[in-house]
Amino acid sequence: MAVDLGAVAQELFEGVMAPLVLGGPVRPGHAIGARAALALGAGDRTGIDPDLEADVFVARIRRARRLAPIDRVATATPAEWTLAAAFHDVLQAANPIFDAALRRSAAARILALAREAIECVPEPANVLEALSRHTWFARVLDVARTDTTVSWWSGSRTYLGVEAPRRLQAWPDLRRVNVVATPHPLLELSPLAVDRARLTDAVALFLTRTPLTEIATCTREAPPFTWGPASLALLATRPGRTLALRVLARLPAAPVDGALGRATRELLATRGASGAPAVTLLAERALARAAGHAGRPENVEASRNDASFARGLGAVAAVTLLDAPGAVWPENDRRRLLDALDAAARSPAAQEAAAMLGERA
């Protein structure tokens, strides 16, 4: 029987896409599959509530304007529909209803098809596409399943991702009823019908298709942040690097330095020649930090941890930019920045970073 793409699109938009943008409970339905996911962009979407579409449009513009002065965002592209459908199926694969001997293979199949759909989505062709995808998927790692445990004088029961029946919560004083709701992020769910490593790998693959989101969530525990072709291509452009600096500026500096330092160290060790965009990003973060410390030396740790490596490498690269022929900084500003960068550029971590850059030069 032919799939009603209009009905699938409506359910996907209302159950997953709109809540990702607006907030509220995400409610995935039946698995969509790779073939339907790839066809959704050309399907009929007349059944979608126009008021809900308008609310989503406004919220996406609001998120975009945190990073860039734009007044419009495009409606969902075929690639964004496919990514949304694939993420929907990733969520469905983690549904606890599949945690049974005869159903785990179905969950594994759903996850495999979700990955297949993601692999068919090209990386963003330009910075505007990267920003558009981010307005849809900025909150994908915030999705969590709320499990509710109801305990009473004679027992207890836990409900995974669904509300507890009201009858179990009746007469709370008499029956000594206690209700505890606990959110569990997607990659920390248990029980899980699919292999956790495969689920994590699917989420990592998904993030490569929305590189601005990948950078904006670099401090996550899983999947660990790494520099990939899409994120490096974004940084290779001046507008893309500006967006990346702005999303990173919204996060605590120390965890960002740690994530970027670890990822950049790995990148230089394996693919040094391709690491220039990441190094330039660290240099511009160092310049911004130095501008805030102008006139006084920055307190620099003697350690060589990942955060120190990021700051040291950034300082070394920033000094190189400031000393380059034709540098655009006025001399007084240049000297103040160099003074502010001096301690970080001479730190043990900076010496390690400089050695790695020298080896790859």
Side-chain angles (χ1 to χ4, degrees), residues 54-70:
D55 290 343
V56 169
F57 179 77
V58 171
R60 290 179 61 218
I61 291 177
R62 188 180 300 120
R63 181 173 292 279
R65 286 186 65 83
R66 296 176 189 174
L67 305 175
I70 63 176

Side-chain angles (χ1 to χ4, degrees), residues 289 297-303 308 311-312 315 340-350:
R289 183 181 288 116
E298 185 178 358
N299 183 25
V300 178
E301 300 177 10
S303 62
S308 298
R311 291 191 289 269
L341 289 165
D342 183 64
R346 291 187 293 105
S347 67

Side-chain angles (χ1 to χ4, degrees), residues 259-334:
L260 297 183
R262 177 186 49 76
T264 307
R265 191 199 303 264
E266 294 174 358
L267 178 66
L268 294 178
T270 57
R271 293 186 291 144
S274 66
V279 173
T280 302
L281 178 78
L282 292 178
E284 294 191 5
R285 279 178 60 83
L287 287 170
R289 183 181 288 116
H293 287 79
R296 57 190 174 91
E298 185 178 358
N299 183 25
V300 178
E301 300 177 10
S303 62
R304 299 194 183 201
N305 59 27
D306 291 333
S308 298
F309 180 83
R311 291 191 289 269
L313 175 56
V316 169
V319 168
T320 300
L321 289 177
L322 290 167
D323 285 340
V328 298
W329 288 271
E331 184 59 23
N332 289 341
D333 292 342
R334 192 179 75 87

Side-chain angles (χ1 to χ4, degrees), residues 2-360:
V3 176
D4 183 349
L5 292 178
V8 172
Q10 180 180 355
E11 185 176 3
L12 175 62
F13 189 87
E14 295 176 357
V16 175
M17 296 173 73
L20 279 177
V21 176
L22 300 174
V26 173
R27 302 186 187 280
H30 294 293
I32 295 173
R35 182 177 300 177
L38 293 167
L40 278 177
D44 177 20
R45 295 187 289 275
T46 56
I48 297 175
D49 182 354
D51 292 334
L52 182 60
E53 276 194 302
D55 290 343
V56 169
F57 179 77
V58 171
R60 290 179 61 218
I61 291 177
R62 188 180 300 120
R63 181 173 292 279
R65 286 186 65 83
R66 296 176 189 174
L67 305 175
I70 63 176
D71 296 319
R72 289 189 60 83
V73 290
T75 57
T77 65
E80 289 163 348
W81 276 103
T82 299
L83 286 174
F87 183 68
H88 169 284
D89 282 3
V90 169
L91 295 177
Q92 190 59 275
N95 193 321
I97 67 171
F98 290 108
D99 187 42
L102 299 179
R103 306 200 71 187
R104 292 191 183 98
S105 61
R109 176 64 174 165
I110 291 171
L111 185 61
L113 290 175
R115 182 183 176 90
E116 180 182 321
I118 296 168
E119 289 175 338
C120 292
V121 176
E123 296 167 358
N126 51 54
V127 173
L128 191 58
E129 275 192 23
L131 178 59
S132 176
R133 292 186 190 184
H134 183 62
T135 64
W136 283 109
F137 305 118
R139 298 179 59 249
V140 290
L141 294 185
D142 294 337
V143 174
R145 187 186 74 200
T146 299
D147 296 343
T148 304
T149 299
V150 182
S151 58
W152 57 94
W153 67 275
S154 62
S156 66
R157 187 168 178 180
T158 298
Y159 294 85
L160 305 179
V162 295
E163 295 182 3
R166 291 187 179 274
R167 60 181 176 78
L168 290 184
Q169 304 175 54
W171 305 312
D173 294 332
L174 179 62
R175 298 171 58 240
R176 297 196 295 275
V177 175
N178 184 44
V179 181
V180 178
T182 307
H184 298 285
L186 173 62
L187 296 179
E188 298 176 14
L189 293 178
S190 181
L192 196 60
V194 295
D195 181 75
R196 192 174 302 278
R198 290 182 180 275
L199 180 65
T200 302
D201 183 62
V203 173
L205 179 64
F206 180 91
L207 289 173
T208 66
R209 288 345 192 234
T210 175
L212 188 57
T213 307
E214 184 174 32
I215 294 170
T217 59
C218 67
T219 58
R220 62 190 183 262
E221 290 188 11
F225 175 72
T226 59
W227 290 116
S231 54
L232 291 172
L234 182 67
L235 297 186
T237 67
R238 174 70 270 178
R241 198 158 59 251
T242 297
L243 291 182
L245 288 167
R246 288 174 179 171
V247 297
L248 293 174
R250 303 178 69 89
L251 302 173
V256 169
D257 287 338
L260 297 183
R262 177 186 49 76
T264 307
R265 191 199 303 264
E266 294 174 358
L267 178 66
L268 294 178
T270 57
R271 293 186 291 144
S274 66
V279 173
T280 302
L281 178 78
L282 292 178
E284 294 191 5
R285 279 178 60 83
L287 287 170
R289 183 181 288 116
H293 287 79
R296 57 190 174 91
E298 185 178 358
N299 183 25
V300 178
E301 300 177 10
S303 62
R304 299 194 183 201
N305 59 27
D306 291 333
S308 298
F309 180 83
R311 291 191 289 269
L313 175 56
V316 169
V319 168
T320 300
L321 289 177
L322 290 167
D323 285 340
V328 298
W329 288 271
E331 184 59 23
N332 289 341
D333 292 342
R334 192 179 75 87
R335 292 307 319 169
R336 281 195 293 269
L337 290 171
L338 287 171
D339 290 343
L341 289 165
D342 183 64
R346 291 187 293 105
S347 67
Q351 295 172 19
E352 176 193 358
M356 293 186 73
L357 289 178
E359 292 173 1
R360 296 293 175 176

